[in-house]
Amino acid sequence: MSLRIVSSCVNCWACQPVCPSDAILQAPKHFVINDRKSTECEGSYDVPQCASICPIEGAITNAAGEAMNPPGSLTGIPPEMVAAAQAEIRAR
């Protein structure tokens, strides 16, 4: 298995209790996923539960390094709309 929790993790504990294989462990800097225990929720859920609950967009990645919960996935607001709004605010 190859999901990873990256350094943007804020140790909020949202992911750890929802992991059906108990593969998420607390580590000194941020939570980590034990590859030997992780099933990526295959056979239990359609999507990895850690990524579906994580409040930090981009904190959980797949084998290719792609965010499992990319920017905009939590808010439903496309990243380009957020960037445009931020640019408009800065311009004021």
Side-chain angles (χ1 to χ4, degrees):
M1 301 295 126
S2 52
L3 293 180
R4 297 273 182 265
I5 298 175
V6 299
S7 63
S8 59
C9 169
V10 296
N11 294 317
C12 72
W13 289 87
C15 62
Q16 195 270 342
V18 300
C19 180
S21 57
D22 293 324
I24 298 176
L25 310 168
Q26 187 179 20
K29 293 185 179 181
H30 57 79
F31 281 89
V32 295
I33 297 175
N34 180 330
D35 285 343
R36 286 178 271 170
K37 290 179 77 176
S38 176
T39 62
E40 295 184 11
C41 295
E42 289 180 12
S44 297
Y45 299 96
D46 291 337
V47 296
Q49 295 300 285
C50 56
S52 71
I53 193 97
C54 181
I56 307 300
E57 294 174 334
I60 300 176
T61 62
N62 63 18
E66 300 164 333
M68 295 296 294
N69 57 344
S73 64
L74 298 176
T75 62
I77 302 170
E80 53 276 1
M81 286 185 68
V82 172
Q86 289 172 335
E88 183 179 327
I89 290 168
R90 284 191 293 271
R92 291 182 187 177

